[in-house]
Amino acid sequence: MTRRLLLQSGSVLDVDSGEVRTADVVLVGDRIVDVGVGLDGNEAIDCGGGLIVPGFIDCHTHVCIAQTRLDPFGSPRSVRPLSAVPVLRTLLRLGVTTVRDAWGADAGVRMAVEKGWIDGPELLISLRQVGTTGGIGDLWAPRTGAIDFFEDPSLPDPIFDGVDGARAVVRRMVRAGADWIKVTATGSMAIGKGVHDVELTADEMSALVEEARRRGGRKVMVHAHGARAVELAARAGAASIEHGTYLDEAAVAAMAAAGTWYVPTLSVTQSDPEHAPEGAAEAHRESMRLAIDAGLRIAMGTDNPVRPHTEALWELRHLAAAGLGDAGALRAATIDAARLLDLADDRGEIAVGKRADLVLLDGTSLDCTSLQDRIRRVIHNGAEVPR
């Protein structure tokens, strides 16, 4: 007999409209097959008093670098992929069922999840953050010269210069299995320098975007804090801007004209604002105001482990507080995130035919303040995640 799992008498969130209604949800295998009232199944979960939402999607995280960033010289090479095991398990238990890794995970980590060797969300990978000589991915010290903590055949050389070099670095990443191309266009807030620099030319950025598109329709995500790098990336056709801490009206206008997504990673500045660079927390909130006023499309991303992965759902709290409201934050972490990743035909909402990635929360409020404390059950690909 086919197993029909009935999620009974829950409050179901329509993430597009923000409306909540009482309904049953029926799952067969890894798919939602019915949503309505008075449905039946041969196995049931009582969802009374709870809110059923789609599985969360983190569009900017790093599942493999929590340990290696603490001790880059002393860590054996195997620490990088193996350290992802507890991180992926943590994210899944928090209801994060899909992630886009913003560099660090190789194709083997993705394969391990796909084959069920380890538990975790579905993983899209970018391998390395590509950038130009002297950029934040070009690790160099006066005493030692070039250093590469992540040197590994499965993580190709990310440094390039010029248009031909830009095309070549995309080809290297695609050859090694990248789903997305991650580009660094400014300096790093974590390193504390160059956040307003523009680290590549317009021709280089355009070449990256064009070559990625030619290689299976792949897209480019751009690390950029400063407004001028954001404007350059948007005009070149980048799919998403990551961080965008210091946006201005010209940068936002360029993003709006190009349809560029904004992944603000507010946790970087809002979770511990006293320890963020001076003025960064305020600037980030102002960037969100400009983005919302301009109607930019916004998707959830955490940039963890800048903060611990256990805090992944804090990002929704920050999105809500920065102007999206609770319903908007939940939309950014579900259907809008799926749209950015070109996965909306498969997941991101509770609808017939969509993937059975669901989270059952205690209570029916949309309040995003303490989502991690409200999780009653997580279902991923139709199966309940052990808690």
Side-chain angles (χ1 to χ4, degrees), residues 227-253:
R228 299 291 68 76
V230 168
E231 187 175 0
L232 180 146
R235 294 188 188 284
S240 65
I241 297 298
E242 317 294 307
H243 315 309
T245 310
Y246 302 99
L247 299 181
D248 62 16
E249 291 184 357
V252 167

Side-chain angles (χ1 to χ4, degrees), residues 5-8 11-13 15 24-35 45 47 51-56 91-98 334 346-352 354-361 375-385 387:
L5 178 60
L6 173 66
L7 307 185
Q8 192 169 30
S11 294
V12 174
L13 174 64
V15 287
D24 305 322
V25 182
V26 179
L27 314 180
V28 174
D30 67 351
R31 295 288 139 181
I32 299 169
V33 298
D34 208 351
V35 181
I45 294 174
C47 299
L51 178 68
I52 305 172
V53 301
F56 303 118
L91 292 175
L92 196 55
R93 288 175 176 173
L94 288 171
V96 179
T97 53
T98 303
T334 54
D346 183 65
R347 69 197 72 172
E349 62 182 336
I350 301 172
V352 173
K354 296 296 179 76
R355 185 186 296 261
D357 287 347
L358 302 166
V359 182
L360 175 61
L361 301 171
I375 295 175
R376 191 190 304 179
R377 295 176 186 264
V378 175
I379 294 173
H380 179 42
N381 291 331
E384 187 164 357
V385 174
R387 296 187 55 73

Side-chain angles (χ1 to χ4, degrees), residues 233-384:
R235 294 188 188 284
S240 65
I241 297 298
E242 317 294 307
H243 315 309
T245 310
Y246 302 99
L247 299 181
D248 62 16
E249 291 184 357
V252 167
M255 293 174 69
T260 311
W261 285 82
Y262 183 32
V263 183
T265 66
L266 291 169
S267 295
V268 174
T269 62
Q270 306 302 306
S271 289
D272 188 10
E274 292 184 2
H275 290 90
E278 184 177 357
E282 296 81 4
H284 217 167
R285 290 194 296 271
E286 175 63 11
S287 292
M288 275 291 290
R289 185 191 67 78
L290 290 171
I292 292 169
D293 288 350
L296 296 189
R297 298 180 296 175
I298 298 172
M300 192 270 272
T302 61
D303 201 22
N304 293 339
V306 171
R307 299 292 301 175
H309 285 97
T310 52
E311 296 180 7
L313 300 188
W314 289 27
E315 184 68 23
L316 283 86
R317 175 198 310 177
H318 300 319
L319 289 167
L324 285 186
D326 294 312
L330 287 161
R331 185 175 63 249
T334 54
I335 189 60
D336 280 351
R339 287 168 176 146
L340 166 59
L341 302 183
D342 290 330
L343 296 173
D345 288 343
D346 183 65
R347 69 197 72 172
E349 62 182 336
I350 301 172
V352 173
K354 296 296 179 76
R355 185 186 296 261
D357 287 347
L358 302 166
V359 182
L360 175 61
L361 301 171
D362 283 327
T364 60
S365 168
L366 301 188
D367 183 12
C368 292
T369 304
S370 300
L371 288 175
Q372 67 278 359
D373 298 327
R374 295 173 54 194
I375 295 175
R376 191 190 304 179
R377 295 176 186 264
V378 175
I379 294 173
H380 179 42
N381 291 331
E384 187 164 357

Side-chain angles (χ1 to χ4, degrees), residues 152-186:
D152 187 311
S154 67
L155 296 173
D157 178 11
I159 305 305
F160 72 93
D161 290 293
V163 169
D164 289 343
R167 295 188 184 281
V169 78
V170 170
R171 294 169 186 175
R172 289 197 294 274
M173 297 301 153
V174 172
R175 180 177 62 185
D179 300 302
W180 279 75
I181 304 300
K182 163 75 178 297
V183 182
T184 59
T186 71

Side-chain angles (χ1 to χ4, degrees), residues 131-137 184-188 193-194 197-201 204 229:
T132 52
T133 299
I136 62 173
T184 59
T186 71
S188 165
K193 63 178 184 179
D197 290 352
V198 181
E199 294 187 344
L200 66 169
T201 68
E204 288 170 331

